[in-house]
Amino acid sequence: MGSMMKSQTVELLRRHEFKIIEPLHRRAIEKVFDEIGPVPEEMLSFYEITNGFQFEWLTVFPLFDNDNVKTTWDSIQRANDVSKTKYLGQDEDLLKRFLVVAHISGGNVAVVDRNDLSVWYEDDDGLCQTDLTYLGLIETLCREVAEL
């Protein structure tokens, strides 16, 4: 993991007051992402430091952990399983294209395009592509939560 990405993640977590979930080991993280598809490198860095978090109405989904079922039940794996998810209208084509990474309010989500790793968010008008990085989107959403 690049030290720059690690320091950006640590800084993001330091700036906002929320409880982080103890991360899984690197091999476990890589195994999950091998199963659910490619992700931006900074997303791997993020999960090496924290296994997701909840900050008021923002939830960055954790990776499921058998040793921490209560906290990780609503996991990134579950959010992307067409038979279990409540996101993206359970649309199989959308779930094949996008990886659901966070719940951002009112049933809307943040997603990563599995093809080009671009970052998108869902609002009342549908999915909108951003020019933000994964960490940039998480930081922007945290600022919005803090301001409300």
Side-chain angles (χ1 to χ4, degrees):
M1 164 176 52
S3 61
M4 175 72 116
M5 282 185 264
K6 183 177 181 182
S7 64
Q8 287 174 328
T9 302
V10 169
E11 180 62 20
L12 165 71
L13 296 172
R14 187 190 64 72
R15 274 195 302 268
H16 302 283
E17 296 178 21
F18 44 76
K19 183 181 175 194
I20 64 171
I21 302 169
E22 190 68 29
L24 300 175
H25 294 286
R26 174 77 181 201
R27 284 189 190 166
I29 295 167
E30 289 172 346
K31 182 179 180 208
V32 169
F33 289 127
D34 284 346
E35 292 171 3
I36 61 177
V39 298
E41 182 63 32
E42 64 183 2
M43 201 169 155
L44 286 172
S45 299
F46 176 86
Y47 280 97
E48 286 183 331
I49 295 168
T50 180
N51 190 12
F53 65 84
Q54 185 164 3
F55 185 35
E56 295 187 28
W57 48 260
L58 170 63
T59 301
V60 176
F61 293 115
L63 308 179
F64 182 75
D65 181 359
N66 281 322
D67 295 329
N68 193 1
V69 173
K70 183 177 180 182
T71 304
T72 64
W73 180 256
D74 287 323
S75 64
I76 199 167
Q77 295 98 315
R78 189 174 191 81
N80 287 281
D81 182 331
V82 72
S83 68
K84 297 175 182 163
T85 192
K86 56 187 174 184
Y87 303 110
L88 297 180
Q90 294 179 300
D91 183 304
E92 193 169 347
D93 291 332
L94 286 176
L95 289 163
K96 283 180 184 174
R97 178 175 174 193
F98 295 104
L99 177 68
V100 178
V101 296
H103 175 252
I104 57 175
S105 77
N108 294 324
V109 293
V111 299
V112 171
D113 188 312
R114 295 174 194 259
N115 299 314
D116 63 12
L117 303 182
S118 59
V119 178
W120 299 57
Y121 66 92
E122 182 182 32
D123 65 15
D124 294 339
D125 296 324
L127 288 168
C128 305
Q129 187 172 8
T130 74
D131 59 356
L132 297 170
T133 64
Y134 172 80
L135 285 178
L137 179 67
I138 300 303
E139 173 68 24
T140 299
L141 293 170
C142 286
R143 278 196 307 263
E144 286 181 19
V145 170
E147 290 172 4
L148 296 177

